[in-house]
Coordinates of all heavy atoms in Angstrom, one line a residue:
F10 N 6.9 -15.3 15.2 CA 8.2 -15.0 14.7 C 9.3 -15.1 15.8 O 10.3 -15.6 15.7 CB 8.2 -13.6 14.2 CG 9.3 -13.3 13.2 CD1 10.0 -14.4 12.6 CD2 9.6 -12.0 12.8 CE1 10.9 -14.1 11.6 CE2 10.6 -11.8 11.9 CZ 11.3 -12.9 11.3
E18 N 6.9 -3.1 13.2 CA 7.2 -2.5 11.9 C 6.0 -1.7 11.6 O 4.9 -2.2 11.7 CB 7.3 -3.6 10.8 CG 8.5 -4.5 11.0 CD 8.3 -5.9 10.4 OE1 7.1 -6.2 10.1 OE2 9.2 -6.6 10.3
Y92 N 2.3 -3.3 13.1 CA 2.6 -4.7 12.8 C 1.7 -5.7 13.6 O 1.3 -5.5 14.7 CB 4.0 -5.0 13.0 CG 4.5 -6.3 12.6 CD1 4.4 -6.7 11.3 CD2 5.0 -7.2 13.6 CE1 4.9 -8.0 10.9 CE2 5.4 -8.5 13.2 CZ 5.4 -8.8 11.8 OH 5.8 -10.1 11.5
F257 N 17.7 -2.9 5.0 CA 16.7 -4.0 4.8 C 15.4 -3.4 4.3 O 14.5 -4.1 3.7 CB 16.4 -4.6 6.2 CG 15.7 -5.9 6.1 CD1 16.3 -7.1 5.5 CD2 14.4 -6.1 6.6 CE1 15.7 -8.3 5.4 CE2 13.7 -7.3 6.4 CZ 14.4 -8.4 5.9
Y261 N 13.7 -5.8 1.6 CA 12.4 -6.5 1.8 C 11.2 -5.5 2.2 O 10.1 -5.6 1.7 CB 12.5 -7.5 2.9 CG 11.2 -8.1 3.3 CD1 10.5 -9.1 2.5 CD2 10.6 -7.7 4.5 CE1 9.3 -9.6 2.9 CE2 9.3 -8.2 4.9 CZ 8.7 -9.2 4.1 OH 7.5 -9.7 4.5
F262 N 11.5 -4.6 3.1 CA 10.4 -4.0 3.8 C 9.6 -3.0 3.1 O 8.4 -3.0 3.1 CB 10.9 -3.5 5.2 CG 9.8 -3.5 6.1 CD1 9.1 -4.7 6.4 CD2 9.3 -2.4 6.7 CE1 8.0 -4.7 7.2 CE2 8.2 -2.4 7.5 CZ 7.5 -3.6 7.8
I299 N 10.4 -16.3 -5.8 CA 9.5 -16.6 -4.8 C 8.6 -15.4 -4.6 O 9.2 -14.3 -4.2 CB 10.1 -17.1 -3.4 CG1 10.9 -18.4 -3.7 CG2 9.1 -17.3 -2.3 CD1 11.6 -19.0 -2.6
S302 N 8.1 -11.1 -2.8 CA 9.3 -10.4 -2.4 C 10.5 -10.7 -3.2 O 11.4 -9.9 -3.3 CB 9.6 -10.7 -0.9 OG 9.6 -12.1 -0.7
R330 N 0.7 -12.0 5.0 CA 2.1 -12.4 5.1 C 2.3 -13.6 6.0 O 1.6 -13.7 7.0 CB 3.0 -11.3 5.6 CG 3.2 -10.2 4.6 CD 4.1 -9.1 5.1 NE 4.4 -8.2 4.0 CZ 5.4 -7.3 4.0 NH1 6.2 -7.3 5.1 NH2 5.6 -6.5 3.0
T331 N 3.2 -14.5 5.7 CA 3.4 -15.7 6.4 C 3.5 -15.4 7.9 O 3.0 -16.1 8.8 CB 4.7 -16.4 6.0 OG1 4.8 -16.3 4.6 CG2 4.8 -17.8 6.4
F332 N 4.2 -14.3 8.2 CA 4.5 -14.1 9.6 C 3.3 -13.7 10.5 O 3.4 -13.6 11.7 CB 5.6 -13.0 9.7 CG 6.9 -13.4 9.3 CD1 8.0 -12.6 9.3 CD2 7.2 -14.8 9.0 CE1 9.3 -13.0 9.0 CE2 8.4 -15.2 8.7 CZ 9.5 -14.3 8.6
R340 N 1.4 -21.3 10.7 CA 2.3 -20.6 9.8 C 2.9 -21.6 8.8 O 3.0 -21.3 7.6 CB 3.4 -20.0 10.6 CG 4.4 -19.2 9.7 CD 5.2 -18.2 10.5 NE 5.6 -18.7 11.8 CZ 6.6 -19.5 11.9 NH1 7.2 -20.0 10.9 NH2 7.0 -20.0 13.1
D364 N 14.9 -15.5 -3.7 CA 14.1 -14.9 -2.7 C 14.9 -13.7 -2.1 O 16.1 -13.7 -2.3 CB 13.6 -15.9 -1.6 CG 12.4 -15.4 -0.9 OD1 11.9 -14.3 -1.2 OD2 12.0 -16.1 0.1
D365 N 14.2 -12.9 -1.4 CA 14.9 -11.7 -0.9 C 15.7 -12.0 0.3 O 16.8 -11.4 0.5 CB 13.8 -10.6 -0.5 CG 13.0 -11.0 0.7 OD1 12.1 -11.9 0.5 OD2 13.2 -10.6 1.8
S366 N 15.3 -12.9 1.2 CA 16.1 -13.2 2.4 C 15.7 -14.5 3.0 O 14.6 -15.1 2.7 CB 15.8 -12.1 3.5 OG 14.4 -12.0 3.8
I367 N 16.6 -15.1 3.8 CA 16.3 -16.2 4.6 C 16.4 -15.8 6.0 O 17.5 -15.3 6.4 CB 17.2 -17.4 4.3 CG1 17.0 -17.9 2.9 CG2 17.0 -18.6 5.3 CD1 17.9 -19.2 2.5
V368 N 15.4 -16.0 6.8 CA 15.5 -15.6 8.2 C 15.6 -16.8 9.1 O 16.6 -17.2 9.5 CB 14.2 -14.7 8.6 CG1 14.3 -14.2 10.0 CG2 14.1 -13.5 7.6
R369 N 14.5 -17.5 9.2 CA 14.6 -18.8 10.0 C 14.8 -20.0 9.0 O 15.1 -21.1 9.5 CB 13.3 -19.0 10.7 CG 13.1 -18.1 11.9 CD 11.6 -18.0 12.2 NE 10.9 -17.6 11.0 CZ 9.6 -17.4 11.0 NH1 8.9 -17.4 12.1 NH2 9.0 -17.0 9.9
G370 N 14.5 -19.8 7.8 CA 14.7 -20.9 6.8 C 13.4 -21.7 6.5 O 13.3 -22.6 5.7
T371 N 12.3 -21.4 7.3 CA 11.1 -22.1 7.2 C 10.5 -22.0 5.8 O 10.1 -23.0 5.2 CB 10.1 -21.6 8.2 OG1 10.8 -21.2 9.4 CG2 9.0 -22.6 8.5
T372 N 10.4 -20.8 5.3 CA 9.8 -20.5 4.0 C 10.6 -21.3 2.9 O 10.0 -22.0 2.1 CB 9.8 -19.0 3.7 OG1 9.3 -18.3 4.8 CG2 8.9 -18.7 2.5
S373 N 11.9 -21.1 2.9 CA 12.7 -21.7 1.8 C 12.5 -23.2 1.8 O 12.4 -23.9 0.8 CB 14.2 -21.4 2.0 OG 14.4 -20.1 2.2
V405 N 12.6 -3.5 12.9 CA 12.2 -4.6 12.0 C 12.2 -5.8 12.8 O 13.0 -6.1 13.7 CB 13.2 -4.7 10.8 CG1 12.9 -6.0 10.0 CG2 13.2 -3.6 9.9
D406 N 11.1 -6.6 12.6 CA 10.9 -7.8 13.4 C 11.8 -8.9 12.9 O 11.5 -9.6 12.0 CB 9.4 -8.1 13.2 CG 9.0 -9.3 14.2 OD1 9.8 -9.5 15.2 OD2 8.0 -9.9 13.9
T407 N 12.9 -9.1 13.6 CA 13.8 -10.3 13.3 C 13.9 -11.0 14.6 O 14.0 -10.4 15.7 CB 15.1 -9.9 12.8 OG1 15.6 -8.8 13.5 CG2 15.1 -9.6 11.3
I414 N 18.7 -18.8 11.1 CA 19.4 -20.0 10.6 C 20.8 -19.7 10.3 O 21.7 -20.5 10.5 CB 18.6 -20.7 9.4 CG1 19.1 -22.1 9.1 CG2 18.5 -19.8 8.2 CD1 18.2 -22.9 8.2
Ligands
AMP501 P1 11.8 -17.5 6.9 O1 13.2 -17.8 6.4 O2 10.9 -18.7 6.9 O3 11.9 -17.0 8.3 O4 11.2 -16.4 6.0 C1 11.9 -15.5 5.2 C2 10.9 -14.8 4.4 O5 10.1 -13.9 5.2 C3 11.7 -13.8 3.4 O6 11.8 -14.4 2.2 C4 10.9 -12.6 3.4 O7 10.1 -12.5 2.3 C5 10.1 -12.6 4.6 N1 10.6 -11.7 5.7 C6 11.9 -11.4 6.0 N2 12.0 -10.6 7.0 C7 10.7 -10.3 7.5 C8 10.2 -9.6 8.5 N3 10.9 -8.9 9.4 N4 8.8 -9.6 8.7 C9 8.0 -10.3 7.9 N5 8.5 -11.0 6.8 C10 9.8 -11.1 6.6

Side-chain angles (χ1 to χ4, degrees):
F10 202 17
E18 296 152 345
Y92 184 63
F257 198 68
Y261 171 78
F262 207 56
I299 298 184
S302 52
R330 284 185 174 196
T331 319
F332 285 177
R340 181 160 43 74
D364 203 1
D365 66 287
S366 57
I367 294 184
V368 183
R369 291 157 306 186
T371 324
T372 311
S373 310
V405 171
D406 187 20
T407 43
I414 194 168

